[in-house]
Amino acid sequence: MATFTVWSFDTPGGAETASDVLKDAASEGLIKIVDRAIVTWPEGAKKPTTHHTHEDEWRGTGWGAFWGLLFGALFFVPVIGVAAGAALGAIHKSMEAVGLNKNQLDRIRAQVTEGTSALFAVTEDGNLDRVGERFHGLHGDLIATNLTQEERRVLLETFD
């Protein structure tokens, strides 16, 4: 099963560093990255920038559409306001299909702000202990996941 996680970092460069660590772990066979995206919001910028990494070109198109929908719902649709209410409801329903509920979307929106960054990762077959060792000291905060409460607890213990 694919695991979807969103990690926030208190610096604009934190997600890029974490992404590099994740990619190194994948190159060592410790985890399979299905896809990943980075959101960076530098100080003074009016909106964040997003970068989708296209792990697999064949699947990249589908994930690109997902990331576009997700980032639109998080950072751009709220600016449009009430006129987009019906569209926002449809977007929330689409996100629930991949395990993200409205509360998680709200939490992501609240934590990814100016001066921060976030790593959005879809992974499979991870060796949590070995991957977790590499993330020590990065000071990421798990803000959303499709894992069960027990799986989330184990993940947080491993990556703390």
Side-chain angles (χ1 to χ4, degrees), residues 87-159:
L88 197 54
I91 290 169
H92 286 162
K93 205 131 180 77
S94 297
M95 292 300 112
E96 285 178 355
V98 295
L100 283 175
N101 61 40
K102 183 181 180 319
N103 290 338
Q104 289 173 313
L105 292 172
D106 290 343
R107 193 167 47 248
I108 294 167
R109 189 179 299 112
Q111 286 193 258
V112 182
T113 58
E114 186 179 331
T116 68
S117 60
L119 172 61
F120 295 71
V122 182
T123 58
E124 294 177 339
D125 306 324
N127 179 329
L128 286 184
D129 289 333
R130 303 237 357 248
V131 174
E133 290 170 1
R134 287 159 173 76
F135 277 80
H136 284 282
L138 294 182
H139 307 291
D141 182 24
L142 179 65
I143 54 177
T145 183
N146 64 345
L147 296 172
T148 67
Q149 282 301 104
E150 180 59 21
E151 291 167 330
R152 179 186 170 96
R153 185 189 62 73
V154 170
L155 181 69
L156 288 172
E157 284 177 5
T158 304
F159 283 73

